[in-house]
Every structure is written in structure tokens, then in C-alpha cells.
Amino acid sequence: MRWRRYGEHAALLDCASLDQMSAARATLTEAALDGVTEIVPGARTLLVVATPGSGALEAARALLASADLAHPPAGPPGEVVLDVHYSGEDLSLVAEDAGLTVDEVVTLHTSATYTVAFTGFAPGFGYLAGLPAELQQPRLASPRTRVPAGAVAIADEYTGVYPRESPGGWRLIGHTEATLFDPSAEQPALFTPGLRVRFRSV
């Protein structure tokens, strides 16, 4: 891991892998260090923002230097289960490229427990880690100009759900009616880093 200064009151941690970033995020989140005002995860980075003059960045560095990141905190209990209609436009393509049947793709996708590694791209969009290796496939060569809200998709090592209609290049395998982002809610985004997620075929 390597720390880099990020403005006057923040530092960016470069990590070797998604797992290392997730472990560092979980460790800092559980510690709840005084003066740390924001922790923003990325695919291989972790941004730590601190109150000026608090010494929190130094405390965060010291904590992670001594932490056992191979056995990070488990995080908060509980998980979200989303009902999915597995009828996405790319479901047959995913099955063909994986050398599986459509039913086997659905079984693999629903058998895994995912973790929201980080969020981005659009409000409420979570990058869910834990996609079985057999289903890991590249993005489409040509992105769609319109992906409907609720589309369940896969790309590379992630699965995700489009919270609203938008362009997108992920492979679509299903659809859910769940609300992923509601700006009027007390917690607008359903997916937050560390949350566990499962999918159920309906």
C-alpha cells in the first residue's frame, strides 16, 4: 500500500487489490477514528478525509500499518435480497461465452453473496464484488445508449444494478423492481460500501 497526499486535508491510499482496499475500508470504518470525516473507496484506492489539525490522517496510517488486513472486520450484520427476473438481453450471450446453460448462469449468480465494494458511475450504483469466476466477462464492445432502470448486469469481476435509465456497457442478465436510489429518502442509496447483497430468481 502507498499513501499519497490529496489536497490539504486528505490522503489517498493506493492498494494492490480490491480485497486489500476493502479490508482497509472495513478497518478504518470500524475504528471510527476521531477527526476522520469521510472514507471514499474505489476499485484500488481509498480516500481518507480528515478535520484540519486533528492528526487523524497520521492515526489512520498508523492503524493500517499495524492492522491484520488478511482478517478485516466483518462489517455490519444483515444483507439485502433483491428479486430478479432473469431475462436480460445478454443472458444467452453470457451463457454461451461461459460455456454454460442459461439455468446454470442463473444458479451461479444467485448462489453467491456479494459485497458493495464501492459506489460510483451514477447515484445509487454499487460495484458488487463476489461474482463467481465462471461469470466474469468483459464489458460489451459497444455500449448501449439506453439501459433501463433496474437492469441487473455483470462486467469484469463485478455485478451491479442500474439505478436509473442511462447508457451502459455491462452485460444485462436480468431486471429487478427494487428502488436503488430515492433522493427523498433518509438514506437515498440502497447500496453503501460494505453492505452484503444477494439475488433471488423470481
Side-chain angles (χ1 to χ4, degrees):
M1 296 187 299
R2 180 171 69 99
W3 286 95
R4 290 187 287 157
R5 186 170 180 175
Y6 201 85
E8 293 185 37
H9 311 300
L12 189 69
L13 179 64
D14 290 321
C15 300
S17 66
L18 176 65
D19 286 344
Q20 188 179 66
M21 182 284 298
S22 296
R25 179 203 55 75
T27 299
L28 287 178
T29 300
E30 183 180 75
L33 298 173
D34 288 341
V36 171
T37 59
E38 193 171 9
I39 299 171
V40 184
R44 301 291 186 275
T45 60
L46 191 69
L47 178 67
V48 182
V49 184
T51 302
S54 65
L57 294 179
E58 292 75 12
R61 286 190 185 206
L63 173 62
L64 292 183
S66 62
D68 179 9
L69 296 184
H71 301 89
E79 65 182 25
V80 170
V81 179
L82 299 184
D83 290 336
V84 177
H85 298 279
Y86 283 91
S87 57
E89 295 177 49
D90 302 314
L91 183 57
S92 295
L93 173 64
V94 168
E96 180 181 350
D97 284 359
L100 302 168
T101 67
V102 165
D103 286 345
E104 287 171 333
V105 169
V106 174
T107 297
L108 278 170
H109 194 257
T110 55
S111 65
T113 299
Y114 304 92
T115 302
V116 180
F118 58 98
T119 58
F121 169 64
F125 188 91
Y127 290 76
L128 310 184
L131 184 67
E134 299 93 330
L135 298 182
Q136 295 182 14
Q137 300 182 9
R139 291 165 170 79
L140 297 172
S142 179
R144 291 182 171 87
T145 57
R146 178 187 175 276
V147 175
V152 178
I154 62 172
D156 302 321
E157 61 191 300
Y158 305 107
T159 190
V161 184
Y162 285 80
R164 63 182 184 187
E165 181 180 313
S166 68
W170 289 31
R171 298 182 181 215
L172 309 182
I173 61 173
H175 184 271
T176 180
E177 299 296 331
T179 299
L180 276 293
F181 185 76
D182 179 0
S184 65
E186 183 176 346
Q187 179 179 303
L190 177 63
F191 290 162
T192 55
L195 178 71
R196 290 190 295 278
V197 180
R198 296 198 60 166
F199 297 99
R200 178 170 55 201
S201 178
V202 295

